[in-house]
Amino acid sequence: MNDFRMKNQRMCHELKIDPVYFRDLELGSKTFEIRKDDRPFRVNDMLLLQSFDRETNEYTGSMVFASVTGIFGRKENEKEFVKEGYVILSIDLIKSRYVID
């Protein structure tokens, strides 16, 4: 994974999230994301987390924006606590949009 950004450049990562976990984000009881470390995640990057129902294979229309405040699992002394190839992203919710049926 190559990251050619300048030191202070932010990136927005568009990610799918299961509706159950999405609701926990909205309620504030979930302040982290466990993700494959297959993207150049950095602290201060933005996440666009879109609720996606895998049973219907459709987006629900709800989404939240979050900022990455920390990354756990990349340092050698952290790897024993996180499955290989994954990271835990600490996040702060920025803005949410709800779709009312």
Side-chain angles (χ1 to χ4, degrees):
M1 156 185 52
N2 294 321
D3 187 356
F4 299 104
R5 290 180 281 169
M6 301 294 284
K7 183 178 180 182
N8 294 323
Q9 283 183 307
R10 297 173 86 181
M11 182 181 284
C12 184
H13 305 274
E14 294 184 29
L15 303 169
K16 296 175 183 174
I17 183 171
D18 188 273
V20 173
Y21 301 123
F22 182 85
R23 182 162 310 281
D24 291 340
L25 282 175
E26 288 180 313
L27 296 173
S29 61
K30 185 173 185 289
T31 58
F32 64 92
E33 272 295 302
I34 299 172
R35 292 288 171 160
K36 284 186 179 180
D37 195 15
D38 59 354
R39 297 171 182 244
F41 293 116
R42 284 191 192 175
V43 170
N44 292 323
D45 276 358
M46 304 289 295
L47 303 180
L48 171 56
L49 296 160
Q50 300 179 73
S51 180
F52 185 81
D53 188 335
R54 289 186 283 172
E55 289 181 18
T56 63
N57 204 34
E58 293 181 346
Y59 290 97
T60 67
S62 296
M63 63 184 77
V64 299
F65 286 95
S67 177
V68 177
T69 59
I71 301 173
F72 185 81
R74 286 184 175 161
K75 295 178 183 171
E76 203 56 44
N77 63 333
E78 300 168 346
K79 291 185 179 191
E80 69 179 283
F81 303 106
V82 180
K83 185 176 177 179
E84 186 174 337
Y86 285 79
V87 290
I88 300 172
L89 306 173
S90 298
I91 59 173
D92 277 338
L93 212 60
I94 295 173
K95 185 176 182 173
S96 58
R97 181 177 73 84
Y98 308 93
V99 173
I100 300 171
D101 294 19

